[in-house]
Amino acid sequence: MALIEVEKLNKVYKNFKRKEGLKGALVNMIYREYDEIRAVDDISFSINSGELVGYIGPNGAGKSTTIKMLTGILIPTSGRLVVNNLIPYKQRYEYTKQIGVVFGQRTQLWWDIPVIESFKLLRKIYQIPKDHYESRLSKFKNLLDLKPLLNIPVRKLSLGQRMRCDLVASLLHNPDVLFLDEPTIGLDIIGKLSIRQFLEKINNELGITIILTTHDLKEIEALCKRLITIDHGKILYDGDIDGLRSCYTLNRSITFQLIKNFDFDNLEQKLKFDGNVTLERLDQLRLKINFSNESLNPAKIIENVIKEVEVHDIAIEEPSIEEIVGRIYSGKKN
Amino acid sequence: MLRQFIIHLDLGFAYLSQFMKTRMEYKADLILGLVTGLLFQLITLVFIDVLFAKQGLTINFWTKGQILFIYGFSIFPLNLFFAFFPNLYNVGSVYIIEGNFDRILLRPLNSLFQVLLEKVDIESLIGMLVGGAIVCYASAQLNLEWTIIKVVTFAGMVICGMFIYGGVFTAVASFSFWWPDRVGLMAPLFNMITFGKYPVTIYNRFLQYILMWIIPFAFVAFFPSAYFLDNVQFRTYIALIPVVAFCSMSAGMIIWNLGTRHYESTGS
Ligand SMILES: Nc1ncnc2c1ncn2[C@@H]1O[C@H](COP(=O)(O)OP(=O)(O)OP(=O)(O)O)[C@@H](O)[C@H]1O
Ligand SMILES: [Mg+2]
């Protein structure tokens, strides 16, 4: 059985419609009207133990809402949600001991207390045996270079420093699942990289299942095998990243650097491909061939071109993951 | 169940010691808080004395000594409540509207317990010195005899009183889960506290009923004092004090738990 099972999950927020003016205020006191926002709309997926899943979507897509339901903060409006045989919001005490949560926007630590004291409180809260606590802390401390931060109150840490501390705090009680909502928001390249490597490591070595939301697609590409995209509360894609590429009609291109000046019209006549292929002359020595991944494979094109002309260099351009995801977000298939 | 209780108790002390440590960092702040707290209480005391000097000896068959005793007693549960429940005031704004309740729900601990422990107002305890002074003075005037049993009962009743306030205000704070933008109930209820500082018999029947069975502030100071003043007339009510405290806190916790199911977090 899967570790996380989500079936036809919905979350509807009710936003109170405020009427203006004095009369409106009086009406408000007696009778309230609500706007309904369906933030998560009938989504289903399941995640196995040990997976590292990227959960992406544009602003307001419903990512944080999903994470909050998965972590038991919000109660679903309807649908089934089971993690590790527990229902998050119902069996809160038991459940929260099995998960770690980091919200990039907000710290879980106590604002005024030095980091190490926060950790000690967490040890008590989660009833972590002392030897487990110490071995885990020393391991994470080294991995994320936490030593110089431990005696500083949380409010004095920089964003990146705080995030590292939050990450360690979420792992001290040895959770099975780690939920991360934009854990690298606002971090610099080095900060992002160190968190990325850390996540990879704990996923590989400790087998912790990780669900991560982010707007940084490079991160997803580097880290996650599986990707779930959501928009307007609905899941648009769920699968691996390579699958995503083949799933969409994408424009690719090959640029040939030729040795001699070439006769473009003549070449266009000779090179006849099936499907949607266009030739383009960039300058005297460069020829660009645009095609879509559905019609042809690059090898075929290269084979044909080098039969006709002498080639010095070849560059194949892949569509970026940004381009693909942008396509998904804007709802276009082509 | 017991295990949970012990875990919570242990954590209570851990939180408190952490809290005291951070408070110590701002020593001047803490001392200033203590001094102003004491000063405030002394001013009230002078005020009471002036009031009674003018008003003569009795109000509605209650002597000045008795009324002073009730007043002095009432300071204990109130300050204990101020010390350990101040965060109830922030539930609507800090925890619900700002979404800090997320963090609370992510820990394997009782949510009300966590909220209460995140802010403690130790300075308020100093006010009890004044309460003690008034009670001693009144006792001397009334020739009351104190025994160990009475002192223990006193402490027990003070704690009961704190829980009566605690329960009522927990319930009120919980309403923020349903209506986060409306904080109006807290202030009027706060004024109700004053009614509990005087004998309930001086109020009309309607108010008496409210103070005894709806918002049971009469059980905070008046009925406990009646015990020490040897007033046999209220024996039944005196016996009910722990029951009322238990029911009040339980009701508060039940409403709190119902409220948490309405928590909607924030958009960012
Ligand atoms: N507490 C709330 N009350 C009312 N509406 C909310 C609340 N939280 C989120 N929403 C609404 O639900 C929708 C989804 O929000 P959510 O925070 O889940 O998006 P998101 O995918 O995390 O976006 P972002 O990338 O900007 O963080 C939005 O339209 C938002 O306005
Ligand atoms: Mg979000």
Side-chain angles (χ1 to χ4, degrees):
Chain A
M1 211 184 73
L3 182 71
I4 299 176
E5 284 186 75
V6 172
E7 219 180 290
K8 295 192 184 308
L9 192 67
N10 284 279
K11 181 70 198 180
V12 177
Y13 289 112
K14 279 188 180 158
N15 273 4
F16 165 49
K17 262 200 265 183
R18 216 178 290 260
K19 291 201 176 63
E20 282 171 26
L22 182 64
K23 196 180 153 215
L26 287 175
V27 172
N28 282 339
M29 285 172 69
I30 304 154
Y31 174 74
R32 312 199 124 200
E33 258 185 285
Y34 293 94
D35 274 335
E36 289 198 343
I37 299 172
R38 191 167 286 272
V40 167
D41 192 356
D42 231 24
I43 63 170
S44 304
F45 57 80
S46 70
I47 292 172
N48 288 315
S49 181
E51 281 195 85
L52 204 172
V53 180
Y55 195 56
I56 63 169
N59 290 132
K63 301 182 296 294
S64 298
T65 304
T66 314
I67 297 283
K68 282 175 188 167
M69 285 194 282
L70 286 169
T71 52
I73 293 171
L74 290 177
I75 302 179
T77 307
S78 68
R80 203 173 82 94
L81 167 53
V82 181
V83 185
N84 228 357
N85 289 318
L86 297 172
I87 296 173
Y89 76 92
K90 268 194 191 152
Q91 287 145 296
R92 198 169 65 77
Y93 284 23
E94 224 176 312
Y95 182 65
T96 47
K97 283 185 184 166
Q98 304 185 1
I99 61 166
V101 186
V102 176
F103 287 107
Q105 323 257 17
R106 182 175 278 150
T107 182
Q108 315 276 320
L109 300 169
W110 292 268
W111 204 235
D112 287 320
I113 306 181
V115 177
I116 187 74
E117 300 292 340
S118 279
F119 288 172
K120 282 182 192 159
L121 272 179
L122 288 172
R123 183 175 94 76
K124 282 209 159 167
I125 290 178
Y126 291 98
Q127 304 279 296
I128 310 167
K130 197 163 180 88
D131 48 334
H132 288 216
Y133 167 81
E134 253 143 35
S135 74
R136 297 179 76 79
L137 181 59
S138 75
K139 179 175 179 174
F140 296 143
K141 200 162 66 181
N142 292 333
L143 282 176
L144 285 176
D145 193 21
L146 237 52
K147 211 170 265 156
L149 309 178
L150 289 178
N151 289 309
I152 303 173
V154 174
R155 74 187 130 86
K156 290 186 183 167
L157 296 176
S158 80
L159 187 63
Q161 293 169 336
R162 202 210 77 205
M163 204 73 84
R164 271 145 57 201
C165 294
D166 255 305
L167 203 53
V168 170
S170 73
L171 289 166
L172 288 174
H173 56 288
N174 198 11
D176 299 332
V177 196
L178 186 59
F179 295 96
L180 304 156
D181 194 359
E182 304 195 38
T184 56
I185 187 171
L187 300 200
D188 65 17
I189 298 175
I190 294 173
K192 279 186 177 180
L193 204 65
S194 87
I195 286 193
R196 199 187 288 176
Q197 283 166 348
F198 180 76
L199 293 178
E200 209 157 26
K201 210 172 173 86
I202 60 165
N203 178 247
N204 280 334
E205 288 178 12
L206 304 177
I208 297 177
T209 311
I210 299 177
I211 290 110
L212 152 103
T213 82
T214 179
H215 288 292
D216 184 343
L217 295 164
K218 294 241 165 55
E219 207 162 278
I220 294 280
E221 211 171 8
L223 211 52
C224 309
K225 285 194 195 70
R226 178 167 166 202
L227 189 68
I228 299 178
T229 32
I230 181 174
D231 193 13
H232 298 296
K234 285 197 160 72
I235 289 183
L236 301 176
Y237 178 82
D238 179 358
D240 59 12
I241 293 184
D242 297 331
L244 186 67
R245 286 219 167 85
S246 58
C247 177
Y248 284 82
T249 314
L250 297 162
N251 294 321
R252 304 172 76 180
S253 67
I254 307 176
T255 304
F256 294 90
Q257 178 92 38
L258 306 180
I259 290 175
K260 284 189 303 227
N261 196 350
F262 64 104
D263 182 348
F264 182 77
D265 294 330
N266 186 21
L267 201 59
E268 202 173 21
Q269 286 284 315
K270 281 183 183 160
L271 292 170
K272 273 276 173 256
F273 298 105
D274 309 325
N276 188 11
V277 180
T278 59
L279 274 67
E280 201 180 325
R281 181 179 201 145
L282 296 180
D283 56 41
Q284 292 205 324
L285 288 177
R286 284 194 304 153
L287 168 74
K288 186 175 179 190
I289 299 181
N290 302 305
F291 62 104
S292 81
N293 61 343
E294 279 178 338
S295 48
L296 273 176
N297 63 8
K300 192 92 191 153
I301 295 174
I302 294 169
E303 195 189 316
N304 280 319
V305 172
I306 51 183
K307 261 189 225 154
E308 304 297 333
V309 286
E310 257 186 296
V311 175
H312 175 64
D313 198 358
I314 300 172
I316 302 180
E317 277 161 46
E318 292 287 348
S320 68
I321 180 104
E322 271 96 347
E323 202 179 314
I324 305 172
V325 171
R327 198 85 67 73
I328 300 176
Y329 289 178
S330 63
K332 276 181 273 176
K333 260 279 180 186
N334 291 298
Chain B
M1 188 68 191
L2 183 69
R3 201 181 119 78
Q4 272 301 326
F5 182 75
I6 292 170
I7 292 173
H8 277 81
L9 200 70
D10 178 37
L11 265 162
F13 284 112
Y15 264 82
L16 276 184
S17 77
Q18 266 316 319
F19 180 82
M20 285 314 287
K21 265 191 233 167
T22 47
R23 281 316 296 250
M24 290 305 174
E25 278 178 35
Y26 309 92
K27 268 196 205 88
D29 217 35
L30 183 69
I31 291 168
L32 202 69
L34 292 174
V35 171
T36 47
L38 197 59
L39 221 61
F40 176 76
Q41 292 294 342
L42 284 174
I43 290 168
T44 342
L45 188 60
V46 171
F47 179 72
I48 293 244
D49 208 49
V50 172
L51 188 79
F52 277 99
K54 283 220 173 115
Q55 198 139 34
L57 278 178
T58 63
I59 303 174
N60 183 247
F61 309 115
W62 294 88
T63 66
K64 177 183 167 185
Q66 289 174 323
I67 289 190
L68 260 185
F69 188 96
I70 300 170
Y71 190 88
F73 185 96
S74 77
I75 292 175
F76 283 87
L78 187 60
N79 281 281
L80 212 56
F81 168 71
F82 283 159
F84 293 107
F85 291 76
N87 226 8
L88 285 181
Y89 191 76
N90 298 323
V91 168
S93 54
V94 175
Y95 289 90
I96 298 173
I97 292 178
E98 284 177 27
N100 284 308
F101 203 64
D102 285 11
R103 173 167 50 87
I104 300 290
L105 288 176
L106 291 174
R107 304 232 162 94
L109 291 175
N110 181 282
S111 57
L112 177 62
F113 178 81
Q114 288 182 73
V115 168
L116 294 181
L117 277 181
E118 286 196 355
K119 189 175 173 224
V120 185
D121 197 6
I122 296 294
E123 291 98 316
S124 290
L125 293 179
I126 200 91
M128 292 208 275
L129 286 180
V130 178
I134 299 179
V135 167
C136 288
Y137 175 74
S139 302
Q141 285 217 324
L142 298 166
N143 292 318
L144 296 185
E145 255 181 65
W146 284 91
T147 59
I148 292 288
I149 292 180
K150 278 197 175 173
V151 172
V152 172
T153 313
F154 189 94
M157 284 178 170
V158 165
I159 291 170
C160 285
M162 176 189 77
F163 280 119
I164 292 173
Y165 284 142
V168 168
F169 283 96
T170 298
V172 173
S174 308
F175 292 148
S176 307
F177 284 113
W178 284 276
W179 310 289
D181 48 341
R182 281 197 278 191
V183 282
L185 266 174
M186 209 78 154
L189 216 64
F190 227 78
N191 293 330
M192 291 280 294
I193 285 181
T194 314
F195 289 114
K197 294 178 180 173
Y198 303 99
V200 267
T201 51
I202 66 172
Y203 306 118
N204 69 32
R205 289 209 150 264
F206 175 69
L207 205 54
Q208 279 184 33
Y209 183 82
I210 301 249
L211 287 170
M212 281 159 67
W213 308 121
I214 311 288
I215 304 161
F217 289 168
F219 286 89
V220 172
F222 175 63
F223 290 133
S225 302
Y227 167 75
F228 297 101
L229 301 173
D230 295 323
N231 202 322
V232 282
Q233 185 192 345
F234 300 112
R235 209 184 278 147
T236 333
Y237 299 115
I238 293 165
L240 278 177
I241 292 168
V243 180
V244 170
F246 181 80
C247 292
S248 169
M249 199 60 219
S250 303
M253 283 163 72
I254 288 168
I255 295 174
W256 175 274
N257 286 337
L258 288 175
T260 56
R261 311 198 66 193
H262 286 260
Y263 177 63
E264 296 249 284
S265 188
T266 52
S268 62

